[in-house]
Amino acid sequence: MAKTLVLAEKPSVGREIAAALGCRKKMQGFIEGEQYIVTWALGHLVTLEDPEHYDAAYKRWSLETLPMLPKKMALKVIPDTAKQYKVVRDLLRLSTVTEVVIATDAGREGELVARWILEKASCKKPTKRLWISSQTQKAIREGFQNLQDGSVYNGLYDAAFSRAAADWLVGLNVTRALTCKFGAQLSAGRVQTPTLALIVEREKEIEAFRSRPYYTLHADLGNFFVTWHGEDGQSAIFDKAEAEKKAGKIQNATFTVTEVKRTKKTTPPPALYDLTELQRDANKQFGFSPKETLQYMQRLYEVHKALTYPRTDSRYLPADIVPTLPERLTAIGVKSLAPFIAAIRKEGMEIAKSCINDKKVTDHHAIIPTEQYINPAELSAEEMKIYGLVTKRFVACFYPSYAYESVKIYTSCEDECFTAQGRVVTEAGWRSVQNLTEEEEEGEQTLPKIQKGDTFCCRSTQLKAQKTTPPERYTEATLLSAMENPGKFIADKVMRAYIGGGLGTPATRADIIEKLYKVFYMEKKDGKHISPTPKAMQLIEIVPEPLRAPLLTAEWESRLEEIRAGRKKKKDFIRDMEAYAANLVSEIKQSEKVYVHENLSSTPCPLCGKMMLRVEDKKGNKMMVCSDRTCRGREIISRKTEVRCPQCKKKMELFGTGEKQNYICSCGYRERAAEKSVGASRGEVRRYMSRQTEEAHTTLADALKKAFENGKEAHK
């Protein structure tokens, strides 16, 4: 009997699809039914070949062998997942399998996962594409009723392959060239380098900044206060003598209201979430890294079936999804939202029209709840926070605009101009759902009823001394914004129009940020703000200028979108990337710049004997890593802990190893770890219990497997 092979991206998704299709016969690496066989990848099973595949000379890193420009990019099976690849390949080659359904994640990377497997297995069988935005049983069944021919997504695969080829050509060539030229572990890439350049440029602005003192003048008029403003509208007075003169002039003087401006304003509900906006808010409100937010989203999407596809760059919904919205509202299990959902039903409220736009829906619509009811008790605390953000935003979009009256009062005293501003809320609207207080601008206050011509006596003055402040360092949230909209960093307004879709994609930006931490290019000194390391500051100076500019990298993403849409050819893009990589290598070879290890220690590596480098990871843990990129030598110096100092209550660091470990605080307090009774944190308890559960499952599985094998032997 002819069967259809369904290829999912992960085992958890494969099991859900199998359940929806009635497949119940569980085998090693797949589940079989009467009509379908469901199997899965484990993320990527196939990737691009290493350089040495094309030429044995590439095994040795050398400037003489660069640039590396293969005539055709070859594929290889990833060793760690080779066993599952063999399962999938053998299923693809079954004579009974006459058709393949690609059911990997519905996006560029998911398409690449499946197509590379099919290509490596030399599978030429007809393909169909499952394209769904949620993992509920209902969505899966509906998706299988609307399968697309696989060829419809050829452009998506071409874009995905082009992206991978560009990363290989530019990333590997430039990384090898920098490392060989400057004798240091240096890496660069088409997205990570311009992203790092933004951080370094901000650091230079901070270092070059020179603070200036200035003063602001305020006058208390009884029921409200007013602030001095110059003709240019600015409130800063940079001359102290002038500020004191103005303050003395208005003391006990009469202020006359010259104008009262009342403006009715409305703020519509915010757009629904895409991945980048969700990562920003999760970082601001909960301190989650972009990578962590994506991980929680993936579980809410794949495991709990609570939210729709996370890796989306759209903040809109298509019109055909509107009929499903009432059911999605009903499924929301957040108690605090129940009264608002009840009001939506009672009043017959509809989602804001601004949320519906077919033209602005890309491969996937905005992130919203699914129709499947979720019990909040089944979610982890972190998952619940993300689920709460999405559901609250979704419900808020059914409520009317936030409406208020903005009031600005202009007064005059002794030929000086002073103003006061405030607002009166007339309709809380969607803000009542978000539990947001009024977002008042600086200086806003509650104002009494005032008319033009009213006079007030100045009761007192306040001269406030302040200093201009440097630009703030990036947080992960603001860095995501900069990556999404790098156009503001391009001075040329004409060129800014060609900026494209930003640095990277919503699906890759979190990985780029994590990688910059991992290779010690940036760190967080205060647990929030990002600082570039000395290594990063030097890298941006020696790397070729075109690679660190955001414009070109953003244009590449725009070109990839053109390839996806079928308007451009992948071969032309790859040819351009080959030329680009060759030019970058040539520039590095000819460079006369010098790289100096500012963090080089006098400690020899225990593995190779070369001097080690002092580094710090994103969590503030200090360590030593070997200066030789081919050596994996590393030693932990200290770890950040949750243990509080008994003297100053700050968190202490743990130094040393074994019995010689010591807790040391920045205030000078120190204590032997062996002598301290430290209670485990919630996170440590959760991780311990998780390990115990996994070990128990593994032990049980091994026991059952052994019993099964013994039974087979006995049967023989």
Side-chain angles (χ1 to χ4, degrees):
M1 179 182 175
K3 293 191 176 184
T4 297
L5 182 68
V6 181
L7 176 57
E9 189 162 331
K10 299 175 184 176
S12 59
V13 178
R15 287 191 289 270
E16 293 297 331
I17 293 175
L21 299 177
C23 302
R24 294 182 176 82
K25 188 178 180 182
K26 296 182 180 180
M27 306 296 286
Q28 188 67 40
F30 65 95
I31 305 173
E32 190 169 1
E34 292 185 6
Q35 184 181 350
Y36 296 96
I37 301 173
V38 181
T39 188
W40 45 79
L42 300 169
H44 277 284
L45 299 182
V46 176
T47 190
L48 292 175
E49 272 285 5
D50 296 322
E52 50 265 34
H53 168 80
Y54 305 102
D55 191 330
Y58 293 153
K59 285 185 178 180
R60 178 175 170 271
W61 284 41
S62 168
L63 284 174
E64 287 71 35
T65 60
L66 301 178
M68 303 176 293
L69 304 174
K71 291 183 179 179
K72 183 181 179 182
M73 306 299 286
L75 300 173
K76 72 167 186 175
V77 177
I78 299 172
D80 291 345
T81 54
K83 185 178 178 181
Q84 182 60 18
Y85 168 76
K86 186 177 182 300
V87 170
V88 178
R89 182 199 64 190
D90 292 346
L91 290 171
L92 287 168
R93 292 178 178 178
L94 288 175
S95 59
T96 51
V97 171
T98 58
E99 183 183 58
V100 179
V101 173
I102 297 175
T104 46
D105 281 358
R108 195 167 77 184
E109 204 63 23
E111 195 70 19
L112 194 67
V113 168
R115 296 291 190 108
W116 273 358
I117 293 171
L118 296 179
E119 185 174 334
K120 186 64 178 174
S122 301
C123 178
K124 304 296 182 183
K125 295 177 180 179
T127 62
K128 294 286 181 64
R129 192 40 159 121
L130 175 70
W131 197 269
I132 54 178
S133 291
S134 62
Q135 293 289 338
T136 64
Q137 295 287 291
K138 178 183 177 183
I140 292 170
R141 285 191 288 268
E142 288 179 353
F144 269 86
Q145 292 172 5
N146 297 283
L147 293 173
Q148 296 280 331
D149 189 275
S151 62
V152 173
Y153 297 90
N154 285 346
L156 186 65
Y157 169 60
D158 286 345
F161 184 90
S162 299
R163 191 276 310 159
D167 285 345
W168 194 103
L169 290 165
V170 176
L172 293 189
N173 275 295
V174 174
T175 294
R176 286 198 178 199
L178 289 169
T179 300
C180 295
K181 174 72 176 181
F182 299 104
Q185 295 185 50
L186 301 174
S187 65
R190 65 183 189 91
V191 178
Q192 76 170 57
T193 303
T195 300
L196 185 63
L198 296 177
I199 299 166
V200 169
E201 187 59 34
R202 177 62 57 85
E203 193 69 17
K204 288 180 179 178
E205 291 175 13
I206 294 171
E207 290 176 355
F209 183 83
R210 297 293 177 267
S211 182
R212 292 178 63 194
Y214 71 92
Y215 303 86
T216 54
L217 176 59
H218 308 279
D220 181 1
L221 302 187
N223 293 330
F224 65 104
F225 64 86
V226 290
T227 302
W228 177 89
H229 285 281
E231 293 181 359
D232 58 359
Q234 297 298 312
S235 60
I237 306 171
F238 288 96
D239 186 292
K240 184 179 181 181
E242 181 186 352
E244 291 175 340
K245 180 181 178 181
K246 292 181 186 295
K249 187 165 60 171
I250 64 170
Q251 186 68 47
N252 299 319
T254 299
F255 282 70
T256 302
V257 177
T258 58
E259 186 179 3
V260 178
K261 282 188 178 179
R262 300 181 184 275
T263 309
K264 291 184 178 180
K265 295 184 177 181
T266 59
T267 305
L272 296 164
Y273 279 119
D274 64 1
L275 178 57
T276 303
E277 179 72 4
L278 183 61
Q279 288 170 321
R280 271 197 293 264
D281 278 4
N283 181 257
K284 290 175 184 175
Q285 296 187 35
F286 312 123
F288 294 163
S289 72
K291 186 78 170 179
E292 288 171 335
T293 299
L294 181 54
Q295 288 171 346
Y296 302 141
M297 269 297 306
Q298 283 292 140
R299 283 189 56 79
L300 288 164
Y301 167 65
E302 293 177 5
V303 179
H304 301 294
K305 318 296 183 299
L307 300 178
T308 56
Y309 186 73
R311 298 170 185 262
T312 177
D313 61 355
S314 175
R315 303 186 67 183
Y316 300 89
L317 300 175
D320 61 10
I321 206 173
V322 173
T324 72
L325 299 186
E327 192 174 354
R328 295 172 192 269
L329 283 169
T330 303
I332 295 173
V334 181
K335 286 185 179 179
S336 61
L337 293 177
F340 299 104
I341 295 172
I344 291 172
R345 291 202 195 92
K346 182 179 179 181
E347 302 296 330
M349 300 181 195
E350 295 182 352
I351 197 165
K353 292 181 179 179
S354 59
C355 294
I356 312 300
N357 192 326
D358 289 272
K359 293 181 180 179
K360 292 188 177 181
V361 174
T362 52
D363 290 336
H364 295 280
H365 56 66
I367 300 169
I368 59 173
T370 64
E371 302 97 324
Q372 185 160 314
Y373 173 76
I374 295 301
N375 181 358
E378 296 175 353
L379 306 181
S380 69
E382 294 80 9
E383 290 164 355
M384 189 61 209
K385 287 176 179 178
I386 298 299
Y387 183 64
L389 281 179
V390 175
T391 52
K392 194 176 286 185
R393 176 67 61 90
F394 178 64
V395 172
C397 286
F398 284 81
Y399 273 72
S401 296
Y402 165 68
Y404 63 96
E405 186 179 60
S406 176
V407 182
K408 192 162 187 177
I409 298 171
Y410 296 81
T411 66
S412 175
C413 179
E414 301 295 330
D415 297 324
E416 302 289 350
C417 295
F418 292 78
T419 63
Q421 57 188 35
R423 68 172 63 180
V424 178
V425 177
T426 55
E427 172 69 66
W430 61 270
R431 282 185 173 276
S432 61
V433 182
Q434 296 280 60
N435 295 324
L436 292 176
T437 55
E438 297 175 39
E439 286 187 357
E440 296 182 349
E441 296 179 10
E442 185 178 355
E444 283 197 342
Q445 56 191 306
T446 302
L447 297 172
K449 289 184 178 180
I450 296 175
Q451 295 180 350
K452 182 179 179 180
D454 287 350
T455 58
F456 300 89
C457 181
C458 176
R459 296 186 176 184
S460 65
T461 61
Q462 181 190 32
L463 202 57
K464 197 172 182 181
Q466 294 175 274
K467 288 184 178 181
T468 56
T469 57
E472 193 175 49
R473 288 186 174 90
Y474 286 107
T475 63
E476 287 171 344
T478 56
L479 182 57
L480 281 169
S481 297
M483 293 175 74
E484 185 180 36
N485 300 295
K488 60 184 177 182
F489 303 103
I490 299 169
D492 190 323
K493 293 182 179 180
V494 176
M495 293 303 291
R496 196 181 301 162
Y498 297 97
I499 192 62
L503 299 175
T505 67
T508 61
R509 287 173 191 140
D511 286 332
I512 292 297
I513 291 174
E514 286 298 312
K515 185 174 182 179
L516 291 173
Y517 284 124
K518 189 175 182 180
V519 295
F520 306 111
Y521 281 157
M522 65 188 199
E523 56 195 12
K524 286 194 283 191
K525 295 289 189 183
D526 59 0
K528 180 180 179 181
H529 292 95
I530 298 169
S531 297
T533 62
K535 179 180 179 181
M537 298 292 283
Q538 287 196 79
L539 174 70
I540 295 304
E541 289 300 317
I542 63 178
V543 79
E545 194 280 331
L547 191 59
R548 60 179 184 254
L551 174 61
L552 187 60
T553 309
E555 283 181 338
W556 288 354
E557 284 297 335
S558 182
R559 288 185 66 182
L560 291 173
E561 175 58 25
E562 292 280 295
I563 293 170
R564 186 201 68 80
R567 294 188 289 269
K568 300 288 184 181
K569 300 291 185 182
K570 72 175 180 181
K571 64 178 183 180
D572 296 333
F573 178 80
I574 293 174
R575 185 181 63 245
D576 290 347
M577 291 301 102
E578 290 173 344
Y580 184 67
N583 288 336
L584 291 175
V585 168
S586 176
E587 185 174 338
I588 293 169
K589 285 181 177 180
Q590 297 171 28
S591 175
E592 296 181 358
K593 295 178 180 178
V594 177
Y595 180 87
V596 179
H597 285 298
E598 293 187 12
N599 57 339
L600 190 68
S601 73
S602 58
T603 304
C605 173
L607 298 182
C608 71
K610 294 180 181 178
M611 294 301 107
M612 301 187 81
L613 305 173
R614 292 181 294 270
V615 297
E616 187 173 315
D617 69 12
K618 66 176 288 188
K619 295 181 180 178
N621 300 318
K622 298 180 179 67
M623 64 183 74
M624 306 278 272
V625 298
C626 185
S627 58
D628 186 343
R629 61 151 198 91
T630 62
C631 179
R632 295 185 177 274
R634 63 174 52 203
E635 289 182 353
I636 301 294
I637 299 174
S638 70
R639 294 184 178 89
K640 290 281 188 180
T641 74
E642 297 299 316
V643 179
R644 298 283 180 177
C645 172
Q647 291 184 176
C648 69
K649 307 306 179 185
K650 293 180 181 177
K651 293 180 181 179
M652 297 193 290
E653 290 184 81
L654 184 62
F655 288 78
T657 57
E659 295 180 357
K660 296 182 179 180
Q661 286 185 315
N662 288 288
Y663 286 105
I664 301 177
C665 181
S666 58
C667 74
Y669 176 84
R670 61 188 297 146
E671 183 177 348
R672 274 287 182 92
E675 299 172 359
K676 189 170 189 66
S677 175
V678 182
S681 67
R682 290 183 181 179
E684 290 169 335
V685 171
R686 187 167 60 249
R687 288 191 289 273
Y688 173 78
M689 294 302 294
S690 177
R691 286 197 301 271
Q692 294 299 306
T693 303
E694 289 176 6
E695 290 171 6
H697 286 170
T698 302
T699 303
L700 178 60
D702 290 344
L704 291 172
K705 182 179 179 182
K706 186 175 181 180
F708 178 72
E709 290 173 349
N710 291 338
K712 286 175 65 178
E713 289 297 321
H715 181 70
K716 289 180 181 178

